Amino acid sequence: MRRSITAVLTAVAATAAFTLSAGPALAYPPDPPSAGTAATQLASLTVKTEGSTSGYSRDLFPHWITQSGSCDTREQVLKRDGTGVIVDSSCQPTTGRWYSVYDATYVNDSSGVDIDHIVPLAEAWKSGANGWTTARRQQFANDLSIAQLIAVSASSNRSKGDKDPSEWKPTNASVHCIYAREWIWVKYTYGLSLQSAEKTALQQMLAAC
């Protein structure tokens, strides 16, 4: 369900991540735990050498699944994260505007929007998901209950690719705090490991909170 403008503004003020001016409201995934909780979660994660992508395929993480009526996960996120979104009978957006927090840009056509997995599927595979059941990987790829999915510009998503925070960070530095908290939340929720450089990068990003 799309969050109200009041809830969004409250979350923004709490995280000091964004400054809103007149115009479309900023939508975002569920609020991650505080920086202090994130630091505790990060400390509990297993640090080890990252695995390989041997055997990996996006098809092993079934997505996008039906979420409600004719809407699949991608369409549900487009509705949640956009402003003024109108969809057709197939739940395809015909109108809307999306704010991409990664690069602080607005996108006025859903064709220019990607739904990013905060922790990429290939990254999850290398961090422990290679041993999961297909059902568990499907849950991970479509999870709307935590901050794992977000609508961003296609260009920023493709720049990120499968990189972890030691290799890629949003060009919009004001979101580094919340991005780190989200990344940690996802890895903690799913019991995924991380490598040493990744942990260091996340600690540095939390320091910006």
Side-chain angles (χ1 to χ4, degrees):
M1 181 179 296
R2 183 179 169 184
R3 301 162 59 205
S4 68
I5 293 176
T6 300
V8 170
L9 291 176
T10 300
V12 169
T15 61
F18 310 108
T19 300
L20 299 181
S21 58
L26 180 85
Y28 214 72
D31 291 336
S34 67
T37 299
T40 299
Q41 292 176 343
L42 179 59
S44 74
L45 296 178
T46 299
V47 178
K48 65 179 186 179
T49 302
E50 194 168 68
S52 74
T53 54
S54 177
Y56 167 73
S57 168
R58 287 180 65 85
D59 294 338
L60 295 173
F61 293 78
H63 63 289
W64 307 109
I65 63 171
T66 300
Q67 291 284 350
S68 176
S70 61
C71 299
D72 64 20
T73 306
R74 171 183 163 79
E75 292 156 347
Q76 201 77 347
V77 175
L78 286 171
K79 290 199 299 177
R80 182 196 70 188
D81 289 5
T83 299
V85 179
I86 298 174
V87 300
D88 60 21
S89 59
S90 299
C91 205
Q92 289 288 330
T94 56
T95 304
R97 196 181 196 205
W98 293 265
Y99 180 74
S100 171
V101 297
Y102 287 175
D103 47 1
T105 61
Y106 284 100
V107 182
N108 296 312
D109 189 323
S110 63
S111 65
V113 178
D114 278 0
I115 306 305
D116 179 49
H117 290 92
I118 297 289
V119 174
L121 304 183
E123 167 66 25
W125 178 268
K126 295 182 291 185
S127 304
N130 61 319
W132 292 351
T133 63
T134 299
R136 182 68 165 166
R137 288 193 288 262
Q138 176 175 292
Q139 178 187 13
F140 179 84
N142 298 275
D143 198 340
L144 296 173
S145 67
I146 60 174
Q148 164 63 341
L149 295 165
I150 183 172
V152 296
S153 68
S155 59
S156 67
N157 184 47
R158 291 163 198 180
S159 170
K160 172 183 173 180
D162 297 327
K163 303 180 184 75
D164 71 38
S166 69
E167 304 167 303
W168 184 91
K169 299 176 182 66
T171 56
N172 179 13
S174 69
V175 301
H176 285 184
C177 166
I178 196 168
Y179 183 76
R181 289 159 52 205
E182 290 168 338
W183 183 283
I184 294 165
W185 191 21
V186 174
K187 286 222 161 177
Y188 179 81
T189 300
Y190 282 89
L192 295 169
S193 64
L194 73 170
Q195 55 184 332
S196 180
E198 177 186 350
K199 182 175 183 177
T200 297
L202 289 165
Q203 290 171 327
Q204 292 171 343
M205 293 168 79
L206 285 179
C209 294

